[in-house]
Amino acid sequence: MADEARARKLADRIKVVVARRLDKGLRDPRMGFVTITDVRVTGDLQHASIFYTVYGNEKERADSAAALKSATGMLRTEVGRNISTRLTPSLEFIADAIPENAEHIEGLLRTAQEQDARVATLAASAQYAGDEDPYVTPRDDAEDEDE
């Protein structure tokens, strides 16, 4: 089993090689605007999971996923030429959910902000249920003598 630092270095190198190859362009018309976001290599350096995002709608994402799947062999060959390991790791392309997660979090923040505004509006027009000062105050001795 390789050490963790070597696996990280290999993952970074694979990320650069694959991104450079995608930047040159594949001859697949289905390929959209793909960004490699992360690469993770197993401890034995035999498998690389490549996370990517695609700018565009669902159809473009599906087309790009199919293009990456069909180009996996060619990309693995390119990786094998540019790394110095005994065996070339197998490649797996995984669509990264960063844009969807960010959109979901933005929606949650928007909802929370709207609810905060409603609560602030209600608090501005609210009145006390009882006395304004609900705490018991000590009586003055002068008041006790008058009674």
Side-chain angles (χ1 to χ4, degrees), residues 4 7 10-11 13 24 41 44-45 55 61 76 78 85-86 88 90 109 114 122-123 126 129 142 146:
E4 194 173 317
L10 182 63
R13 184 67 186 144
K24 286 181 186 177
V41 178
D44 60 358
L45 308 178
Y55 182 75
R61 289 181 187 143
R76 184 175 183 211
E78 187 79 20
T85 58
R86 188 169 58 91
T88 303
S90 61
L109 289 173
E114 291 168 0
L122 291 173
D146 290 339

Side-chain angles (χ1 to χ4, degrees), residues 33-37 51-55 61 94-99:
F33 186 71
V34 176
T35 303
I36 304 298
T37 56
F51 295 88
Y52 69 95
T53 59
V54 179
Y55 182 75
R61 289 181 187 143
I94 301 170
D96 205 347
I98 289 175

Side-chain angles (χ1 to χ4, degrees), residues 3-145:
D3 64 347
E4 194 173 317
R6 185 170 181 208
R8 272 196 314 269
K9 278 183 176 180
L10 182 63
D12 289 341
R13 184 67 186 144
I14 290 171
K15 182 178 179 180
V16 169
V17 169
V18 171
R20 188 177 300 141
R21 183 62 184 107
L22 291 177
D23 190 37
K24 286 181 186 177
L26 297 177
R27 293 183 182 171
D28 196 332
R30 300 175 293 178
M31 182 63 74
F33 186 71
V34 176
T35 303
I36 304 298
T37 56
D38 192 21
V39 176
R40 295 188 187 141
V41 178
T42 57
D44 60 358
L45 308 178
Q46 296 298 307
H47 183 77
S49 298
I50 302 173
F51 295 88
Y52 69 95
T53 59
V54 179
Y55 182 75
N57 58 24
E58 284 298 320
K59 183 182 181 328
E60 291 170 339
R61 289 181 187 143
D63 288 346
S64 294
L68 285 171
K69 187 172 183 169
S70 67
T72 300
M74 185 269 304
L75 291 171
R76 184 175 183 211
T77 302
E78 187 79 20
V79 167
R81 288 184 193 141
N82 290 289
I83 62 172
S84 57
T85 58
R86 188 169 58 91
L87 298 171
T88 303
S90 61
L91 304 180
E92 176 187 17
F93 287 93
I94 301 170
D96 205 347
I98 289 175
E100 290 83 12
N101 289 345
E103 186 176 317
H104 177 69
I105 290 171
E106 285 177 7
L108 292 174
L109 289 173
R110 207 173 310 112
T111 302
Q113 190 175 24
E114 291 168 0
Q115 289 177 349
D116 285 348
R118 271 189 250 125
V119 168
T121 304
L122 291 173
S125 63
Q127 295 180 353
Y128 293 104
D131 295 332
E132 283 189 29
D133 187 11
Y135 301 106
V136 176
T137 56
R139 289 190 272 175
D140 290 334
D141 290 334
E143 289 180 8
D144 290 339
E145 291 177 6

